[in-house]
C-alpha cells in the first residue's frame, strides 16, 4: 500500500491527545468521588459498569481516529484488474532462418498458422497489430479489431536478411503510441512514476535467431519498460535445424548464411538458434515472460497461454473512501456505546406512607 499524501499521517498525533484527555477526565471523576462521604450515594449516582465497558468506547474512538488519519493520507492499493482495452503487438521474425524445416512444414508457415489461430481466438477482445522484422522492422497492420485484415497480412510475408529484434520492439512501441495516448512514442522523454503499474498494452516477440542489426534489444527493452509496456518473448525452433525450404512467395532472395543471416552479431554462433538468454533478459526487464517453443504445438500453447498473463494488469486504486467509511463507523459505534453505557440511572420513586 502506498500514500498520495503521506504528510497527512501527521494526523495520527491526535491520538495521544485523545488519550490524555480521557486520562484527565477519569482523574477528575476519581477526585469527585473522593469528596462524597457515602459509598451508597456514589453507587446510586454512578451507573454500574465493568472495566471493559469503560474501555471499549475509548478503544473504538482511538481506532476510528487512526483509520481516518490513514485515510486522509490517500492510501492506494495495488490490485489485479482485468484490462478491456489492451493492445497486443505481434512482432514476428521473418529472417531467412525461418525457412528451416525442423518445424513442419517450416518455421515461418507454422508460425503463421499459430498466429492465425491466436488472432481468431481473440476476436472481440483486445486490439492486435502485426510487425515483421528481419534486417529492419515494419508495421504490417496497425492495432485493429479486424481479424480478417490481420490474417490476410500473413499472405504477403517474405523472408529477408538479418534479425533486428530491438527494431521490432521499438517499431511495436510506436504502433502502440498511435492508438494509446498514455504510451509515449520512441524518442520522447518519458516520466513515469515507479510503481505506476503496467500499461494495458503488450508486445509479443517471436524469433528464432539472435539480434545482429539495429539497436541493441536490451536498450529497446528499457524503452518499453519506461513506458510500462511488457514484452513477452518466444524463443522459436529446435537446436537441430533442418535444411531451408520456403515457398516462392515466402522466399525473399537471401543467399546463404552470411554475416547478417539470422546469426549473432559478427556472424558468431549458430545462425539458426535463438538467443534465449537475451530473450529472457528482455522479458525480465519489462515484466513480461519468456516462452520456449520447439515445435508447432508448443508455439500454439505458448500463444494460447499469453492472454491470461497480460489481460490482467496491476492498477493503483484509491481506497481513501473505504478508510473514511470504516473510521466513521468506529467513531459512531464509540459514541453510541458511550451514551448507552453512561446514561443516568433513574432513581427509584420514593415510597409513600399512607396513614389509615
Amino acid at each position: 500500500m502506498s500514500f498520495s499524501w503521506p504528510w497527512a499521517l501527521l494526523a495520527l498525533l491526535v491520538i495521544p491527545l485523545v488519550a490524555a484527555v480521557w486520562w484527565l477526565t477519569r482523574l477528575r471523576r476519581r477526585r469527585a468521588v473522593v469528596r462524597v462521604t457515602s459509598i451508597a450515594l456514589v453507587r446510586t449516582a454512578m451507573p454500574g459498569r465493568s472495566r471493559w465497558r469503560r474501555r471499549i468506547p475509548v478503544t473504538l474512538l482511538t481506532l476510528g481516529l487512526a483509520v481516518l488519519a490513514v485515510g486522509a493520507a490517500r492510501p492506494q492499493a495495488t490490485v489485479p484488474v482485468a484490462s478491456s482495452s489492451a493492445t497486443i503487438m505481434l512482432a514476428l521474425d521473418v529472417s531467412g532462418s525461418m525457412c528451416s524445416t525442423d518445424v513442419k512444414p517450416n518455421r515461418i508457415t507454422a508460425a503463421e498458422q499459430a498466429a492465425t489461430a491466436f488472432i481468431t481466438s481473440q476476436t472481440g477482445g483486445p486490439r492486435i497489430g502485426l510487425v515483421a522484422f528481419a534486417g529492419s522492422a515494419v508495421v504490417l497492420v496497425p492495432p485493429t479489431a479486424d481479424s480478417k485484415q490481420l490474417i490476410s497480412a500473413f499472405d504477403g510475408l517474405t523472408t529477408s536478411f538479418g534479425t533486428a529484434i530491438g527494431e521490432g520492439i521499438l517499431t511495436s512501441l510506436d504502433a502502440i503510441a498511435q492508438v494509446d495516448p498514455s504510451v509515449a512514442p520512441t524518442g520522447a522523454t518519458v516520466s513515469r512514476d515507479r510503481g505506476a503499474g503496467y500499461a494495458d498494452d503488450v508486445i509479443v516477440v517471436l524469433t528464432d535467431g539472435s539480434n545482429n542489426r539495429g539497436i541493441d534489444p536490451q536498450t529497446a527493452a528499457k524503452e518499453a519498460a519506461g513506458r510500462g509496456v511488457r514484452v513477452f518473448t518466444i524463443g522459436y525452433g529446435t537446436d537441430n535445424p533442418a535444411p531451408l525450404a520456403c515457398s516462392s512467395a515466402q522466399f525473399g532472395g537471401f543467399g546463404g548464411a552470411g554475416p547478417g543471416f539470422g546469426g549473432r552479431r559478427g556472424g558468431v554462433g549458430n545462425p539458426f538458434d535463438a538467443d534465449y538468454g537475451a530473450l529472457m533478459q528482455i522479458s525480465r526487464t519489462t515484466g513480461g515472460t519468456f516462452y520456449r517453443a520447439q515445435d508447432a504445438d508448443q508455439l500454439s500453447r505458448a500463444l494460447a497461454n499469453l492472454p491470461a498473463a497480460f489481460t490482467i494488469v496491476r492498477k493503483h486504486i484509491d481506497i481513501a473512501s473505504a478508510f473514511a467509511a470504516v473510521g466513521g463507523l468506529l467513531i459512531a459505534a464509540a459514541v453510541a456505546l458511550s451514551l448507552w453505557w453512561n446514561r443516568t440511572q433513574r432513581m427509584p420513586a420514593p415510597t409513600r406512607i399512607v396513614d389509615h
Side-chain angles (χ1 to χ4, degrees):
M1 186 170 65
S2 58
F3 298 96
S4 298
W5 300 341
W7 50 265
L9 292 174
L10 292 173
L12 290 171
L13 296 177
V14 77
I15 295 177
L17 180 61
V18 171
V21 171
W22 177 73
W23 180 79
L24 289 174
T25 302
R26 283 187 52 80
L27 184 61
R28 288 181 180 178
R29 286 180 179 177
R30 288 177 180 175
R31 289 176 179 175
V33 169
V34 169
R35 295 193 187 102
V36 180
T37 57
S38 174
I39 299 300
L41 290 177
V42 173
R43 290 177 177 174
T44 302
M46 296 183 64
R49 294 182 300 159
S50 61
R51 181 174 298 178
W52 65 271
R53 281 193 175 187
R54 292 195 302 268
R55 292 180 177 176
I56 284 180
V58 177
T59 302
L60 291 177
L61 178 63
T62 303
L63 288 175
L65 292 174
V67 172
L68 286 179
V70 174
R74 300 293 299 275
Q76 292 184 332
T78 303
V79 297
V81 178
S83 171
S84 58
S85 59
T87 297
I88 305 170
M89 290 302 302
L90 288 177
L92 179 63
D93 185 349
V94 291
S95 60
S97 56
M98 289 290 283
C99 286
S100 175
T101 54
D102 58 337
V103 180
K104 301 301 180 182
N106 59 16
R107 291 179 180 179
I108 191 169
T109 301
E112 291 173 357
Q113 293 171 349
T116 297
F118 173 74
I119 292 169
T120 303
S121 70
Q122 299 301 305
T123 300
R127 295 169 300 195
I128 299 177
L130 291 178
V131 167
F133 66 89
S136 60
V138 62
V139 177
L140 296 178
V141 181
T144 179
D146 188 345
S147 58
K148 291 183 179 179
Q149 181 185 3
L150 291 164
I151 293 171
S152 63
F154 292 123
D155 295 336
L157 285 182
T158 58
T159 55
S160 185
F161 290 106
T163 305
I165 298 173
E167 296 293 335
I169 294 173
L170 294 185
T171 301
S172 298
L173 279 176
D174 283 332
I176 290 172
Q178 292 292 320
V179 296
D180 187 350
S182 67
V183 176
T186 59
T189 301
V190 178
S191 178
R192 186 177 180 85
D193 295 335
R194 288 187 177 183
Y198 296 118
D200 290 342
D201 316 295
V202 299
I203 299 171
V204 179
V205 175
L206 190 157
T207 180
D208 70 339
S210 307
N211 192 81
N212 55 30
R213 292 286 192 278
I215 190 170
D216 182 74
Q218 303 309 322
T219 301
K222 291 177 182 177
E223 290 278 331
R227 292 161 174 77
V229 176
R230 289 169 291 172
V231 180
F232 294 78
T233 55
I234 301 176
Y236 185 41
T238 69
D239 296 328
N240 299 299
L244 306 181
C246 270
S247 67
S248 57
Q250 295 170 334
F251 185 78
F254 56 87
F261 178 63
R264 301 177 190 274
R265 193 177 297 273
V268 180
N270 191 326
F272 295 95
D273 284 350
D275 189 346
Y276 305 123
L279 296 178
M280 291 178 186
Q281 184 59 42
I282 291 171
S283 294
R284 280 196 296 266
T285 299
T286 62
T289 305
F290 166 77
Y291 296 90
R292 178 79 169 91
Q294 298 190 72
D295 55 39
D297 289 338
Q298 289 182 3
L299 178 57
S300 296
R301 285 196 296 271
L303 289 171
N305 290 335
L306 285 173
F310 54 64
T311 56
I312 301 296
V313 298
R314 303 193 73 81
K315 295 288 187 180
H316 288 283
I317 306 298
D318 192 312
I319 56 176
S321 58
F323 276 79
V326 172
L329 288 174
L330 288 172
I331 292 176
V335 173
L337 289 176
S338 180
L339 292 175
W340 177 258
W341 286 336
N342 289 299
R343 69 190 186 282
T344 303
Q345 291 184 339
R346 292 183 178 179
M347 298 292 293
T351 303
R352 299 180 63 184
I353 301 175
V354 180
D355 295 332
H356 294 284

